[in-house]
Amino acid sequence: MHAPAARTASPLAVAAALASLYVLWGSTYLAIRFALKGYPPFLLGACRMFIAGLLMFIVLRLRGTPGPTVKQWRTLIVLSIFMVLLSNGFVNLAETQVSSGLAAIAVASMPLFAGLFAMLRGRHPSRVEWIGLVVGFLGVVWLNAGSALRGSTLGLVCLTIAPIAWAWGSIWSRDQDLPEPFMAASGQMIAGSGWMLVAALIHGERFAAVPSTSSTFAMLYLVVAGSIFGFTAYIWLLHHVRPALATSYAYVNPPLAVVFGALLGGEHFTMQDVGAMAVILSGVVIITLSKARASKPAAAEQEPAA
């Protein structure tokens, strides 16, 4: 057997990549809230995904990476419904009514749904994973019953659908013919921007005025920091460290998003919100550590919807 790539990566490089991933993806929820001040939710998603996807596509093709085949484009178009429109698009829509931190807490439930979908497709959870699933879903119930989500039907619906869609797309994509990871991400974003435009038309979105400089800066931050740099750091980590460490953002990003929302966005959270987050993340940690012990790759199913 070959030695794992993690042994060739310096501790400093790994630490820098993890810090980048935690901060960049942890801050995207608040950046979405700021961008929404000038961009309607689905038009925001269309702009972000098209720019990021096109830039990545051009760079990859210049570096000689093969583009998706016709069959792969068909798969990416379908996959982008779940991974872009119903996940990122619905998080954008939810944040028109709920705080960025609350959105991050709700999306943290995604690995729990991924575990259930994996079970339905024949991968049965271990006893420890079952404990994590039960604990995590108790946190989801607590969040939905005792938090500010009760006051926003739209937010509740969107933040229930978003993690489910991302989890299903992640599990379904494992059996599909896809290009290499960076090209697959680029293709999903480009295809997803088209679905976002369709949703924007159905939702009746339009620009009433030229977006402010601050909201445009937030949108570009999502393009560069969230979609390009964040994803690059994530893929690099997947090739240099254990999957459990690379996917540790799944339980680090939500608390960071809450902190960013409180310090920079003036958001307020109740003990119900914080308690539910702690329970959800406890379930995610249990599942992640169980997968690490079993040496089961769990990376693809845990990318955030934001």
Side-chain angles (χ1 to χ4, degrees):
M1 293 181 65
H2 294 89
R7 296 180 183 177
T8 64
S10 71
L12 182 60
V14 172
L18 283 172
S20 298
L21 189 61
Y22 294 161
V23 173
L24 294 179
W25 275 355
S27 64
T28 54
Y29 294 92
L30 185 60
I32 287 172
R33 178 188 152 192
F34 289 153
L36 286 171
K37 294 180 180 179
Y39 292 80
F42 291 114
L43 286 177
L44 168 62
C47 292
R48 172 189 177 182
M49 295 301 169
F50 182 74
I51 295 173
L54 184 61
L55 288 175
M56 286 183 64
F57 186 86
I58 292 173
V59 170
L60 288 170
R61 293 295 290 134
L62 289 175
R63 295 181 61 181
T65 303
T69 64
V70 173
K71 179 182 177 182
Q72 289 172 337
W73 269 119
R74 292 190 188 122
T75 302
L76 290 171
I77 289 171
V78 174
L79 187 59
S80 66
I81 297 175
F82 302 101
M83 306 295 281
V84 178
L85 175 62
L86 296 181
S87 53
N88 179 267
F90 274 34
V91 169
N92 290 355
L93 186 59
E95 285 201 39
T96 61
Q97 294 193 5
V98 303
S99 69
S100 63
L102 194 59
I105 295 172
V107 171
S109 65
M110 189 280 299
L112 307 177
F113 293 108
L116 284 183
F117 290 138
M119 179 182 64
L120 294 176
R121 294 179 70 85
R123 183 191 177 281
H124 297 291
S126 66
R127 185 176 304 174
V128 176
E129 285 179 287
W130 270 118
I131 295 174
L133 287 170
V134 172
V135 170
F137 278 111
L138 286 176
V140 173
V141 172
W142 187 8
L143 179 68
N144 290 337
S147 74
L149 279 178
R150 291 181 304 172
S152 171
T153 301
L154 177 64
L156 177 61
V157 171
C158 288
L159 293 178
T160 299
I161 293 175
I164 291 176
W166 189 277
W168 170 252
S170 298
I171 297 300
W172 177 76
S173 67
R174 291 182 172 188
D175 300 325
Q176 307 305 314
D177 175 26
L178 294 172
E180 62 90 28
F182 284 109
M183 184 59 76
S186 170
Q188 284 179 60
M189 287 189 281
I190 292 173
S193 67
W195 291 118
M196 289 282 202
L197 281 177
V198 172
L201 290 173
I202 295 174
H203 197 229
E205 295 181 2
R206 61 179 59 84
F207 288 106
V210 177
S212 65
T213 302
S214 60
S215 61
T216 298
F217 177 80
M219 186 273 289
L220 293 176
Y221 177 84
L222 289 168
V223 169
V224 178
S227 296
I228 298 179
F229 287 170
F231 189 75
T232 299
Y234 177 60
I235 294 296
W236 185 87
L237 284 167
L238 287 180
H239 287 81
H240 290 83
V241 302
R242 291 178 298 107
L245 181 58
T247 59
S248 60
Y249 73 85
Y251 44 86
V252 175
N253 285 166
L256 280 180
V258 169
V259 171
F260 285 135
L263 295 181
L264 303 178
E267 298 177 354
H268 302 283
F269 301 92
T270 66
M271 290 306 298
Q272 295 264 19
D273 300 331
V274 176
M277 175 178 66
V279 175
I280 292 171
L281 297 184
S282 295
V284 173
V285 170
I286 292 172
I287 293 172
T288 303
L289 294 180
S290 176
K291 288 179 178 179
R293 292 193 188 98
S295 299
K296 296 288 187 178
E301 70 191 37
Q302 293 192 41
E303 188 179 343

